[in-house]
Amino acid sequence: MGQLLVVEGVCKRYGAEEVLCGVSFSLEKGETKVIIGPSGTGKSTLLRCINRLTEPDRGRVWLEGMEVTAPHANINKIRSQIGFVFQDFNLFTHLTALDNVRLGLLKVKKMGRKEATERAQAELARVGLAGKADAYPAQLSGGQQQRVSIARALAMDPKLILFDEPTSALDPELIGEVLGVMVKLAHEGMTMLVVTHEMGFARSVADEIVFMERGVIVEQGPPEKLFRAPAHPRTAEFLRKISELYGEAA
Amino acid sequence: MTVESWIQVWYALPVLLRGLLVNLELLLGLLALGLVVGMAVALVEVYAPRPVAAAAVAYEWFFRGVPELVLLFLFYFGPDQFGVQISAFTAAVLALGFRSSAYQSQIFRGAIQAIPAGQMLAARSLGMGRLRAIWHVVLPQALRLSLAGWSNEFSSVLKDTTLAYGIGVVEVMRQARYLTARNFRLALPAFIAVAFLFLILTYLGNWTIGLVERRLRIPGLEVRR
Ligand SMILES: Nc1ncnc2c1ncn2[C@@H]1O[C@H](COP(=O)(O)OP(=O)(O)OP(=O)(O)O)[C@@H](O)[C@H]1O
Ligand SMILES: [Mg+2]
């Protein structure tokens, strides 16, 4: 298969609640796919099932033809190839920005200290934070923290980065700086799967948009099509609500 | 309480200090044992599967529930029943150390559980195994959060070392008793001197811990005072 990521029939249930029921889609190398959908629909759960931070009940996931969900898969190795950017950043509180970016290089990739430091500095520069290497997370704004967390993901040379609402915890004036970095990454050819409510970003950067509701994919397609002529009434209704909420013409 | 008796105690100070040194040795031994075992118990309680965690909880319940003197006697006289000779000093380190480990485990457990789950998730998402994530991400933060509670435990077990008197360890209380056995008029000055020595040690110990706390302080991880 020529796909970088293939997700096939992923199901996840919490107690009686079926959070994901048979989600399938795939991602080509260099593609940016945006997932949208109402709260509680299972978007975060889906992202976590992809690198098995949450163990799916059923279904399979492949990364570059290698099965992530295989029982004996080396999951730590696989995770090190999939970046994950969290809504609330989750930077390591006790480490400086530089050490946050360096930790995975030193302890997972076993890179030498000098090389890791240079790489970490380069990644911080890439997200516009070269001057903040020695700052602790508590000394950074939300937007800066999220950019450090993107640098932390980038440093691992991931094949794919998963973003779980990367700007939802940010003050409006800080959203732009994070989206700016993500737009740049998309143009550089990074493969990205992004859960977001930022329709402007979705419209301008996404190759494809996936609309999810109650654990299933309702509709997916290129942004022009989804925004202009959604095939499903639920999609239209959601887009209308979102545009009211975020004040963007959909 | 004559001036005379104070002078006698003053001249006996080296003897008292020699006893106090034994208390310090006990303290170091029991704190080290308590730290290692306490951390292990905390990690097991938080991360191990249910049955194993339950065993840790039972351990902690036992050593927090049995009076210290009883523990001392059990550890001193117990092994003898099985033909194992154990010095009073060793018995005291073990009894007080295991007891402290039970208390320290609760300090560490609280601190580990106070670390947001997202820290572990972020570490795992980078490809770190669970142990590596605990070692590099959870523990450095949890230990910093533990320091305040730990200084409390330190003050408490420092004084507990005098209980080793009960099984015949020649520590500061035993030395003071030797003095007062020869001359009961020395009792008050001698025990006031012992009290004073412990006040000084408590102060020095907490000062040192405070220093460590300040040295290790990181923005966002301060222990709130
Ligand atoms: N660990 C868990 N235990 C029990 N239920 C959970 C757990 N994680 C998620 N859920 C439930 O699964 C459902 C989907 O959650 P999920 O976080 O994936 O939704 P989401 O689409 O990301 O929503 P949001 O837009 O609010 O982030 C929710 O109803 C949630 O309560
Ligand atoms: Mg979510």
Side-chain angles (χ1 to χ4, degrees), chain A residues 48 53 76 79-80 82 86 90-94 103 107-108 110 136 138-139 152 156, chain B residues 118-119 121-129 132 136-137 140-141 144 218-221:
Chain A
R48 286 173 186 205
L53 283 178
N76 289 332
R79 282 191 190 133
S80 73
I82 303 179
F86 298 86
N90 290 339
L91 286 184
F92 304 127
T93 319
H94 64 302
L103 189 68
K107 304 303 171 188
V108 177
K110 310 284 184 199
Y136 286 97
Q139 298 169 319
R152 175 172 73 179
M156 302 295 286
Chain B
Q119 296 286 306
L121 275 181
R124 300 306 302 274
S125 80
L126 288 176
M128 284 192 208
R132 191 163 280 157
H136 291 295
V137 173
Q141 300 184 40
R144 284 182 170 86
I218 280 174
L221 260 185

Side-chain angles (χ1 to χ4, degrees), chain B residues 63-130:
Chain B
F63 279 104
R64 290 210 297 171
V66 176
E68 289 162 289
L69 265 180
V70 177
L71 286 177
L72 283 166
F73 280 45
L74 283 175
F75 273 83
Y76 186 46
F77 297 112
D80 207 31
Q81 309 282 303
F82 302 97
V84 181
Q85 294 294 326
I86 169 172
S87 76
F89 181 86
T90 308
V93 167
L94 292 178
L96 298 177
F98 285 131
R99 177 172 185 278
S100 180
S101 77
Y103 282 93
Q104 290 191 43
S105 74
Q106 293 316 286
I107 297 169
F108 297 138
R109 182 176 61 89
I112 290 170
Q113 287 176 331
I115 308 301
Q119 296 286 306
M120 178 59 111
L121 275 181
R124 300 306 302 274
S125 80
L126 288 176
M128 284 192 208
R130 217 149 90 119

Side-chain angles (χ1 to χ4, degrees), chain B residues 125-201:
Chain B
S125 80
L126 288 176
M128 284 192 208
R130 217 149 90 119
L131 288 179
R132 191 163 280 157
I134 291 171
W135 183 255
H136 291 295
V137 173
V138 177
L139 285 189
Q141 300 184 40
L143 283 172
R144 284 182 170 86
L145 294 184
S146 302
L147 273 170
W150 204 81
S151 80
N152 211 13
E153 174 65 7
F154 165 84
S155 306
S156 164
V157 294
L158 168 62
K159 292 166 293 182
D160 289 351
T161 57
T162 56
L163 289 168
Y165 168 87
I167 54 173
V169 176
V170 186
E171 43 70 72
V172 69
M173 278 298 285
R174 178 67 58 183
Q175 296 288 14
R177 285 289 287 149
Y178 287 156
L179 273 182
T180 59
R182 287 199 292 273
N183 180 355
F184 78 93
R185 286 175 186 284
L186 295 187
L188 202 48
F191 290 120
I192 287 176
V194 172
F196 195 66
L197 291 176
F198 274 96
L199 284 173
I200 291 173
L201 280 186

Side-chain angles (χ1 to χ4, degrees), chain B residues 19-30 89 158 161 201:
Chain B
L20 195 66
L21 196 61
V22 175
N23 290 75
L24 285 178
E25 286 165 11
L26 276 174
L27 179 71
L28 285 183
L30 84 89
F89 181 86
L158 168 62
T161 57
L201 280 186

